[in-house]
Amino acid sequence: MNGGTLILGLSGLFCFFAGAYLAATHSRTTGIALMSMGLIFQVLCLRQLKQAKNKDTSDAGR
């Protein structure tokens, strides 16, 4: 796992939690936008992890 994958995962968590806080307390639309950005970052992180796993399994047969 490289640094970019970690950054995507952490930024996804941060955006989602910040968006949940904002949606509950201050600006609902900004909170919802941040939560959706957080989910997109999490999907990108999971895609990177899946690609890394597939690369490791294909290299194991060599």
Side-chain angles (χ1 to χ4, degrees), residues 36-55:
S36 63
M37 285 176 49
L39 291 176
I40 290 170
F41 287 146
Q42 289 293 314
V43 167
L44 291 174
C45 177
L46 290 174
R47 185 185 66 140
Q48 292 289 335
L49 289 173
K50 186 176 180 181
Q51 286 178 350
K53 180 182 175 188
N54 288 338
K55 183 181 176 190

Side-chain angles (χ1 to χ4, degrees), residues 4-62:
T5 306
L6 289 172
I7 294 296
L8 281 173
L10 291 175
S11 63
L13 285 174
F14 177 76
C15 281
F16 188 82
F17 289 137
Y21 174 75
L22 284 176
T25 58
H26 300 292
S27 174
R28 184 172 183 204
T29 55
T30 305
I32 291 172
L34 275 175
M35 284 192 289
S36 63
M37 285 176 49
L39 291 176
I40 290 170
F41 287 146
Q42 289 293 314
V43 167
L44 291 174
C45 177
L46 290 174
R47 185 185 66 140
Q48 292 289 335
L49 289 173
K50 186 176 180 181
Q51 286 178 350
K53 180 182 175 188
N54 288 338
K55 183 181 176 190
D56 288 342
T57 58
S58 66
D59 289 342
R62 290 184 183 188

